[in-house]
């Protein structure tokens, strides 16, 4: 029973992590495509909140529950699928750390522009491009991790 509870928590946590990432990316992307500074300010504010509330907690829960399941199931840590999952997870986390900073800057810049009625400054768009670029490898890393977790190839 212990294993099933931990597995459920692991799957639930991965759903929150991936779902928050996809949802945040979707709304942030389309708010920015609209070029509506007020909409961008509102969406970026909530993206930052969601990132701290869901992503920050699940980024800790994932390895915690994952390592515990490995222990409970008796999988050897040197299994290739585990090693690759860890490498991909570290890549995704390495992308997420600067994304958090970028999202806070995007939030602040858009809030300031919306408050003054000014257009978004060029640095906003530079940060937004970096945000998109960092999101691509993180997305594919998580897709690959999902496959590795399900398939567990030798």
């Amino acid at each position: 029973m212990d294993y099933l509870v931990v597995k459920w928590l692991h799957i639930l946590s991965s759903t929150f992590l991936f779902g928050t990432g996809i949802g945040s990316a979707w709304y942030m992307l389309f708010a920015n495509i609209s070029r509506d500074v007020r909409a961008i300010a509102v969406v970026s504010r909530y993206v930052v909140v969601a990132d701290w509330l869901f992503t920050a907690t699940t980024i800790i829960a994932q390895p915690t529950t994952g390592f515990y399941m490995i222990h409970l199931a008796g999988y050897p840590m040197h299994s290739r699928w585990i090693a690759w999952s860890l490498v991909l997870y570290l890549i995704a986390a390495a992308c997420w750390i600067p994304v958090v900073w970028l999202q806070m800057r995007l939030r602040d810049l858009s809030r300031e522009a919306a408050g003054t009625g000014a257009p978004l400054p060029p640095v906003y768009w530079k940060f937004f491009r970096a945000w998109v670029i960092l999101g691509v490898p993180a997305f594919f890393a998580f897709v690959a991790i999902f496959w590795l977790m399900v398939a567990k190839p030798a």
Side-chain angles (χ1 to χ4, degrees), residues 26-41 43 120 125 128:
W26 176 267
Y27 288 109
M28 190 73 144
L29 177 65
F30 284 99
N32 279 275
I33 287 172
S34 79
R35 301 280 180 162
D36 181 336
V37 176
R38 291 175 300 147
I40 293 169
V43 169
L120 292 166
W125 299 108
F128 179 69

Side-chain angles (χ1 to χ4, degrees), residues 3 66 69-79 81-82 149 152:
Y3 182 82
M69 281 193 309
I70 290 167
H71 167 73
L72 290 174
Y75 290 120
M77 280 298 293
H78 63 274
S79 299
W81 67 272
I82 293 173
M149 295 295 107
K152 295 177 180 54

Side-chain angles (χ1 to χ4, degrees), residues 27-123:
Y27 288 109
M28 190 73 144
L29 177 65
F30 284 99
N32 279 275
I33 287 172
S34 79
R35 301 280 180 162
D36 181 336
V37 176
R38 291 175 300 147
I40 293 169
V42 170
V43 169
S44 63
R45 177 171 45 125
Y46 288 117
V47 163
V48 170
V49 170
D51 221 17
W52 284 114
L53 187 63
F54 297 108
T55 309
T57 55
T58 59
I59 210 161
I60 294 165
Q62 282 294 281
T64 303
T65 56
F67 283 126
Y68 192 50
M69 281 193 309
I70 290 167
H71 167 73
L72 290 174
Y75 290 120
M77 280 298 293
H78 63 274
S79 299
R80 286 188 333 168
W81 67 272
I82 293 173
W84 274 109
S85 295
L86 291 172
V87 167
L88 291 165
Y89 192 78
L90 290 173
I91 289 168
C95 292
W96 179 72
I97 291 167
V99 159
V100 171
W101 181 84
L102 288 166
Q103 286 175 170
M104 290 188 298
R105 292 296 299 137
L106 294 170
R107 177 201 58 200
D108 296 346
L109 290 166
S110 61
R111 180 179 50 210
E112 184 179 318
T116 63
L120 292 166
V123 70

